[in-house]
PDB file of all heavy atoms in Angstrom:
ATOM      1  N   ILE Q 108      20.176 -27.996 -64.487  1.00  0.00           N
ATOM      2  CA  ILE Q 108      20.878 -26.820 -65.009  1.00  0.00           C
ATOM      3  C   ILE Q 108      22.046 -27.246 -65.894  1.00  0.00           C
ATOM      4  O   ILE Q 108      22.278 -26.676 -66.967  1.00  0.00           O
ATOM      5  CB  ILE Q 108      21.358 -25.928 -63.852  1.00  0.00           C
ATOM      6  CG1 ILE Q 108      20.158 -25.275 -63.156  1.00  0.00           C
ATOM      7  CG2 ILE Q 108      22.325 -24.854 -64.345  1.00  0.00           C
ATOM      8  CD1 ILE Q 108      20.510 -24.510 -61.905  1.00  0.00           C
ATOM      9  N   LEU Q 109      22.794 -28.250 -65.458  1.00  0.00           N
ATOM     10  CA  LEU Q 109      23.929 -28.723 -66.254  1.00  0.00           C
ATOM     11  C   LEU Q 109      23.460 -29.330 -67.566  1.00  0.00           C
ATOM     12  O   LEU Q 109      24.107 -29.150 -68.617  1.00  0.00           O
ATOM     13  CB  LEU Q 109      24.744 -29.745 -65.451  1.00  0.00           C
ATOM     14  CG  LEU Q 109      25.453 -29.196 -64.208  1.00  0.00           C
ATOM     15  CD1 LEU Q 109      26.196 -30.321 -63.495  1.00  0.00           C
ATOM     16  CD2 LEU Q 109      26.412 -28.069 -64.566  1.00  0.00           C
ATOM     17  N   ARG Q 110      22.346 -30.043 -67.546  1.00  0.00           N
ATOM     18  CA  ARG Q 110      21.799 -30.607 -68.783  1.00  0.00           C
ATOM     19  C   ARG Q 110      21.432 -29.499 -69.763  1.00  0.00           C
ATOM     20  O   ARG Q 110      21.785 -29.551 -70.949  1.00  0.00           O
ATOM     21  CB  ARG Q 110      20.573 -31.457 -68.458  1.00  0.00           C
ATOM     22  CG  ARG Q 110      19.914 -32.101 -69.685  1.00  0.00           C
ATOM     23  CD  ARG Q 110      18.528 -32.600 -69.342  1.00  0.00           C
ATOM     24  NE  ARG Q 110      17.640 -31.488 -68.982  1.00  0.00           N
ATOM     25  CZ  ARG Q 110      16.508 -31.640 -68.297  1.00  0.00           C
ATOM     26  NH1 ARG Q 110      16.134 -32.837 -67.873  1.00  0.00           N
ATOM     27  NH2 ARG Q 110      15.754 -30.592 -68.014  1.00  0.00           N
ATOM     28  N   ASP Q 111      20.735 -28.468 -69.253  1.00  0.00           N
ATOM     29  CA  ASP Q 111      20.339 -27.353 -70.122  1.00  0.00           C
ATOM     30  C   ASP Q 111      21.567 -26.572 -70.598  1.00  0.00           C
ATOM     31  O   ASP Q 111      21.600 -26.091 -71.739  1.00  0.00           O
ATOM     32  CB  ASP Q 111      19.384 -26.424 -69.370  1.00  0.00           C
ATOM     33  CG  ASP Q 111      18.045 -27.079 -69.064  1.00  0.00           C
ATOM     34  OD1 ASP Q 111      17.746 -28.135 -69.672  1.00  0.00           O
ATOM     35  OD2 ASP Q 111      17.313 -26.561 -68.212  1.00  0.00           O
ATOM     36  N   PHE Q 112      22.569 -26.444 -69.745  1.00  0.00           N
ATOM     37  CA  PHE Q 112      23.796 -25.735 -70.116  1.00  0.00           C
ATOM     38  C   PHE Q 112      24.491 -26.443 -71.276  1.00  0.00           C
ATOM     39  O   PHE Q 112      24.966 -25.801 -72.219  1.00  0.00           O
ATOM     40  CB  PHE Q 112      24.723 -25.652 -68.906  1.00  0.00           C
ATOM     41  CG  PHE Q 112      26.056 -25.010 -69.201  1.00  0.00           C
ATOM     42  CD1 PHE Q 112      26.190 -23.633 -69.190  1.00  0.00           C
ATOM     43  CD2 PHE Q 112      27.173 -25.792 -69.487  1.00  0.00           C
ATOM     44  CE1 PHE Q 112      27.417 -23.038 -69.469  1.00  0.00           C
ATOM     45  CE2 PHE Q 112      28.393 -25.208 -69.760  1.00  0.00           C
ATOM     46  CZ  PHE Q 112      28.514 -23.822 -69.754  1.00  0.00           C
ATOM     47  N   ARG Q 113      24.548 -27.753 -71.240  1.00  0.00           N
ATOM     48  CA  ARG Q 113      25.208 -28.508 -72.301  1.00  0.00           C
ATOM     49  C   ARG Q 113      24.453 -28.370 -73.626  1.00  0.00           C
ATOM     50  O   ARG Q 113      25.061 -28.337 -74.697  1.00  0.00           O
ATOM     51  CB  ARG Q 113      25.348 -29.973 -71.909  1.00  0.00           C
ATOM     52  CG  ARG Q 113      26.303 -30.193 -70.750  1.00  0.00           C
ATOM     53  CD  ARG Q 113      26.479 -31.664 -70.405  1.00  0.00           C
ATOM     54  NE  ARG Q 113      27.176 -32.361 -71.467  1.00  0.00           N
ATOM     55  CZ  ARG Q 113      26.624 -33.288 -72.246  1.00  0.00           C
ATOM     56  NH1 ARG Q 113      25.353 -33.624 -72.066  1.00  0.00           N
ATOM     57  NH2 ARG Q 113      27.325 -33.895 -73.179  1.00  0.00           N
ATOM     58  N   LYS Q 114      23.126 -28.276 -73.561  1.00  0.00           N
ATOM     59  CA  LYS Q 114      22.347 -28.066 -74.783  1.00  0.00           C
ATOM     60  C   LYS Q 114      22.592 -26.667 -75.350  1.00  0.00           C
ATOM     61  O   LYS Q 114      22.676 -26.484 -76.580  1.00  0.00           O
ATOM     62  CB  LYS Q 114      20.853 -28.254 -74.495  1.00  0.00           C
ATOM     63  CG  LYS Q 114      20.442 -29.686 -74.203  1.00  0.00           C
ATOM     64  CD  LYS Q 114      18.950 -29.777 -73.924  1.00  0.00           C
ATOM     65  CE  LYS Q 114      18.527 -31.209 -73.616  1.00  0.00           C
ATOM     66  NZ  LYS Q 114      17.071 -31.292 -73.296  1.00  0.00           N
ATOM     67  N   LEU Q 115      22.672 -25.685 -74.469  1.00  0.00           N
ATOM     68  CA  LEU Q 115      22.853 -24.302 -74.892  1.00  0.00           C
ATOM     69  C   LEU Q 115      24.272 -24.026 -75.370  1.00  0.00           C
ATOM     70  O   LEU Q 115      24.494 -23.205 -76.266  1.00  0.00           O
ATOM     71  CB  LEU Q 115      22.495 -23.363 -73.730  1.00  0.00           C
ATOM     72  CG  LEU Q 115      22.609 -21.856 -73.982  1.00  0.00           C
ATOM     73  CD1 LEU Q 115      21.685 -21.440 -75.122  1.00  0.00           C
ATOM     74  CD2 LEU Q 115      22.273 -21.089 -72.710  1.00  0.00           C
ATOM     75  N   HIS Q 116      25.244 -24.733 -74.770  1.00  0.00           N
ATOM     76  CA  HIS Q 116      26.652 -24.498 -75.093  1.00  0.00           C
ATOM     77  C   HIS Q 116      27.316 -25.813 -75.507  1.00  0.00           C
ATOM     78  O   HIS Q 116      28.190 -26.335 -74.802  1.00  0.00           O
ATOM     79  CB  HIS Q 116      27.381 -23.897 -73.881  1.00  0.00           C
ATOM     80  CG  HIS Q 116      26.807 -22.595 -73.412  1.00  0.00           C
ATOM     81  ND1 HIS Q 116      27.025 -21.411 -74.069  1.00  0.00           N
ATOM     82  CD2 HIS Q 116      26.012 -22.306 -72.350  1.00  0.00           C
ATOM     83  CE1 HIS Q 116      26.401 -20.437 -73.428  1.00  0.00           C
ATOM     84  NE2 HIS Q 116      25.774 -20.953 -72.388  1.00  0.00           N
ATOM     85  N   PRO Q 117      26.926 -26.348 -76.656  1.00  0.00           N
ATOM     86  CA  PRO Q 117      27.477 -27.643 -77.069  1.00  0.00           C
ATOM     87  C   PRO Q 117      28.972 -27.600 -77.362  1.00  0.00           C
ATOM     88  O   PRO Q 117      29.614 -28.657 -77.422  1.00  0.00           O
ATOM     89  CB  PRO Q 117      26.675 -27.963 -78.338  1.00  0.00           C
ATOM     90  CG  PRO Q 117      26.222 -26.633 -78.851  1.00  0.00           C
ATOM     91  CD  PRO Q 117      25.959 -25.807 -77.618  1.00  0.00           C
ATOM     92  N   GLN Q 118      29.531 -26.409 -77.547  1.00  0.00           N
ATOM     93  CA  GLN Q 118      30.957 -26.294 -77.844  1.00  0.00           C
ATOM     94  C   GLN Q 118      31.811 -26.219 -76.582  1.00  0.00           C
ATOM     95  O   GLN Q 118      33.030 -26.086 -76.664  1.00  0.00           O
ATOM     96  CB  GLN Q 118      31.213 -25.076 -78.733  1.00  0.00           C
ATOM     97  CG  GLN Q 118      30.609 -25.227 -80.125  1.00  0.00           C
ATOM     98  CD  GLN Q 118      30.796 -23.991 -80.969  1.00  0.00           C
ATOM     99  OE1 GLN Q 118      30.539 -22.879 -80.528  1.00  0.00           O
ATOM    100  NE2 GLN Q 118      31.259 -24.178 -82.194  1.00  0.00           N
ATOM    101  N   VAL Q 119      31.156 -26.290 -75.427  1.00  0.00           N
ATOM    102  CA  VAL Q 119      31.897 -26.358 -74.164  1.00  0.00           C
ATOM    103  C   VAL Q 119      32.044 -27.821 -73.758  1.00  0.00           C
ATOM    104  O   VAL Q 119      31.055 -28.539 -73.619  1.00  0.00           O
ATOM    105  CB  VAL Q 119      31.187 -25.573 -73.042  1.00  0.00           C
ATOM    106  CG1 VAL Q 119      31.899 -25.787 -71.705  1.00  0.00           C
ATOM    107  CG2 VAL Q 119      31.142 -24.088 -73.380  1.00  0.00           C
TER     108      VAL Q 119
END
Side-chain angles (χ1 to χ4, degrees):
I108 291 173
L109 294 179
R110 180 195 64 199
D111 293 345
F112 177 84
R113 293 182 68 248
K114 290 180 181 178
L115 181 60
H116 301 284
Q118 293 177 312
V119 174

